[in-house]
Amino acid sequence: MRVSEIFASVQGEGPSLGVPAVFLRLAQCNLSCLWCDTKYAWSVGEDVPVDRVVEEILTLLRTYSKIKLVVITGGEPLLQRDDVRELIVRLKEKIEYVEVEVETNCTIDPSSVLEVVDRLIVSPKLANSGMPEDLRKCSTRFKDLPDSMKSKVYLKFVIEDARDLSEVEEIVRFFGVSSSSVFLMPQASSIEELTERLKVVVDLAMKTGFRVSDRLQVAGGFR
Ligand code: SF4
């Protein structure tokens, strides 16, 4: 699989915010969002056999023996969904307590990975990403998911201002998930932007019942 980096840190966003984790960042993406904070992963990567990736993750999990979460992120991990599925299955064979969450931009059929993952963090891109609508629209496979799959899905939206809300609500209706599975997160690459846009996000959350996600990696300056 095409790998950008493997490292241990703390999940900075979304439903597992604050949880220590081993991160596998896969290279390549099918989008090129204006404010992407991992542009280096679009092209920089190394081809690594799945077995070796599993071993590198296990080495980190042994080094940090209290970590129980593995996050597969990108880039867009589902561009390599067959390898991602195989990796999750092999990891869970080796360490049964490990939980795996995969992050995706919503554009690719998630079915095979949803069967084996614990959480799928779906971050549909809004107009503020600068991507044309036809490129960023969600895979139709996300509609009418059975409850057993839907319960694994969390939505995470990057918000610039209050005008983003109508797009968010349309996508939430498409997914049919409850507001407790929806996170609004400020678009921010600096502490100043984070502080300013958190106020917008908090205001929208109070009006909608959606949840707020901070971005610890921006606030703390870590990856
Ligand atoms: S989908 Fe994610 S990784 Fe890809 S360009 Fe957009 S923000 Fe970056």
Side-chain angles (χ1 to χ4, degrees), residues 29-33 35-39 42 74-76 105 125:
C29 189
N30 57 338
L31 300 181
S32 49
C33 304
W35 34 250
C36 178
D37 57 359
T38 53
K39 288 180 177 158
W42 293 355
E76 174 45 57
N105 64 20
K125 300 308 174 226

Side-chain angles (χ1 to χ4, degrees), residues 13 29-36 75-76 103-107 121-133 135-138 156-158 167 171 185 215:
E13 327 175 326
C29 189
N30 57 338
L31 300 181
S32 49
C33 304
L34 288 173
W35 34 250
C36 178
E76 174 45 57
E103 301 183 329
T104 177
N105 64 20
C106 197
T107 59
I121 317 303
V122 184
S123 185
K125 300 308 174 226
L126 308 178
N128 69 34
S129 67
M131 295 307 301
E133 197 170 355
L135 292 185
R136 61 183 163 83
K137 73 175 181 232
C138 287
K156 187 177 71 177
F157 293 95
V158 175
E167 275 185 276
I171 295 169
M185 187 175 78
R215 303 186 84 164

Side-chain angles (χ1 to χ4, degrees), residues 81 124 147:
R81 60 189 170 186
D147 286 346

Side-chain angles (χ1 to χ4, degrees), residues 163-186:
R163 286 172 297 182
D164 294 333
L165 186 60
S166 57
E167 275 185 276
V168 169
E169 290 180 319
E170 190 179 327
I171 295 169
V172 172
R173 278 194 295 277
F174 169 81
F175 273 79
V177 295
S178 70
S179 56
S180 63
S181 300
V182 179
F183 289 79
L184 306 179
M185 187 175 78

Side-chain angles (χ1 to χ4, degrees), residues 192-210:
E192 291 74 23
E193 278 184 331
L194 187 63
T195 306
E196 203 47 47
R197 292 206 170 111
L198 263 174
K199 292 178 198 154
V200 175
V201 165
V202 166
D203 187 54
L204 292 178
M206 289 191 295
K207 289 174 180 156
T208 60
F210 299 148

